[in-house]
Amino acid sequence: MWRQWPGVKPAQERADLIAYLRTLSDHPLPLPQRAKEAPAGPRYGGLPAGEGREAVYFTCRACHSLDQFTGHHLSREGWDELLDEMIAMNGMAAPEPWARELMLDYLGAYFGEREDRDWAGLPPGPGREEVYYSCSACHSLMMVTQQGLSRDRWDETLDWMVEEQGMDEISDLALRDLILDYLSTHFGSG
Ligand code: HEC
Ligand code: HEC
């Protein structure tokens, strides 16, 4: 719970915290890395060197040339949607979650939008913008992202935020559901 790290500030301390939390996981995801000097060796169709290049090369070249996407510049979220489209409409096999993350990190970093924003570190997914705008008004999103609560407990937390902490009630039930889905998906108790 966030109270155990009262002084944690964004950026470096958060990175340290994440690095520490990764050591607790049996299957830590690879952290995104900065581009290294291009090593001698395979050039993967001219794709820029970086973590995830091979995964993108072998996955995306299976059906069409790399030119099909190297001219695109999308946010990481845009690439996320594009992958959904590729799976739903074009018969691409859904990648393993870790491979998907790897490819999205790569595509977002090397074929990203210049004005791509990181939404204060909130992971992409339906509801991210809504959570960002509803929850960053009074306190840092760190207060949110350090929690791990079930959907019911998030529901109670929102009630408490409204009754005791002065948050406006979210009267649009669909919006409230979207926010609760997002919170329990990304900051759940699992
Ligand atoms: C199983 C086949 C398959 C795989 C794998 C695949 N694609 Fe595609 N992709 C397609 C087809 C089919 C089209 C539509 C081609 C057309 O309209 O000419 C397409 C079109 C695209 C487009 C153009 C979409 C637009 O805006 O119109 C992009 C960008 C793209 N793919 C990116 C990717 C990336 C990135 C990957 C790897 C993560 C990938 N594709 C993997 C089949 C695939
Ligand atoms: C109107 C202001 C306001 C808004 C908007 C707001 N909060 Fe809060 N929140 C607070 C206050 C005040 C606290 C108590 C801070 C403290 O104890 O230091 C708090 C505390 C929290 C806590 C810590 C609860 C605990 O058990 O310690 C969480 C989690 C939280 N908010 C989540 C959210 C989420 C999720 C949203 C968006 C849906 C949100 N907040 C929006 C005012 C707000």
Side-chain angles (χ1 to χ4, degrees):
M1 297 288 123
W2 65 275
R3 282 186 206 286
Q4 288 165 338
W5 294 289
V8 174
K9 290 193 205 75
Q12 187 54 47
E13 288 173 42
R14 179 158 203 273
D16 292 346
L17 179 62
I18 290 169
Y20 166 69
L21 292 175
R22 287 179 75 245
T23 66
L24 304 178
S25 163
D26 288 335
H27 304 287
L29 290 173
L31 288 173
Q33 284 182 0
R34 298 196 196 293
K36 301 198 187 80
E37 290 239 72
R43 297 213 48 259
Y44 297 109
L47 289 177
E51 180 113 35
R53 175 168 68 162
E54 280 179 66
V56 166
Y57 179 77
F58 289 113
T59 306
C60 309
R61 198 204 42 163
C63 304
H64 48 66
S65 81
L66 298 173
D67 300 348
Q68 181 77 254
F69 67 88
T70 50
H72 284 240
H73 288 276
L74 303 174
S75 65
R76 195 179 188 282
E77 200 167 2
W79 284 114
D80 200 39
E81 283 163 12
L82 188 113
L83 253 56
D84 282 342
E85 190 189 282
M86 214 57 59
I87 292 165
M89 322 269 293
N90 295 331
M92 182 175 129
E96 292 286 324
W98 64 265
R100 187 177 173 118
E101 290 302 307
L102 193 61
M103 288 194 283
L104 289 177
D105 285 344
Y106 181 84
L107 291 167
Y110 297 99
F111 299 97
E113 244 169 22
R114 243 171 280 124
E115 66 278 26
D116 196 7
R117 52 185 308 179
D118 76 351
W119 299 101
L122 289 178
R128 170 162 72 171
E129 291 175 38
E130 289 78 3
V131 165
Y132 181 85
Y133 289 117
S134 314
C135 310
S136 62
C138 306
H139 51 67
S140 144
L141 285 165
M142 294 290 286
M143 189 93 81
V144 177
T145 58
Q146 288 176 0
Q147 300 282 341
L149 303 175
S150 67
R151 201 176 189 284
D152 284 350
R153 293 276 290 115
W154 275 117
D155 205 32
E156 289 164 17
T157 302
L158 292 201
D159 285 342
W160 176 79
M161 207 72 51
V162 171
E163 283 156 22
E164 307 289 337
Q165 310 298 346
M167 186 176 121
D168 286 344
E169 181 142 30
I170 306 170
S171 48
D172 179 341
L173 290 184
L175 175 60
R176 191 182 165 109
D177 270 346
L178 183 64
I179 287 175
L180 287 175
D181 286 344
Y182 181 87
L183 292 171
S184 54
T185 300
H186 298 285
F187 309 107
S189 55

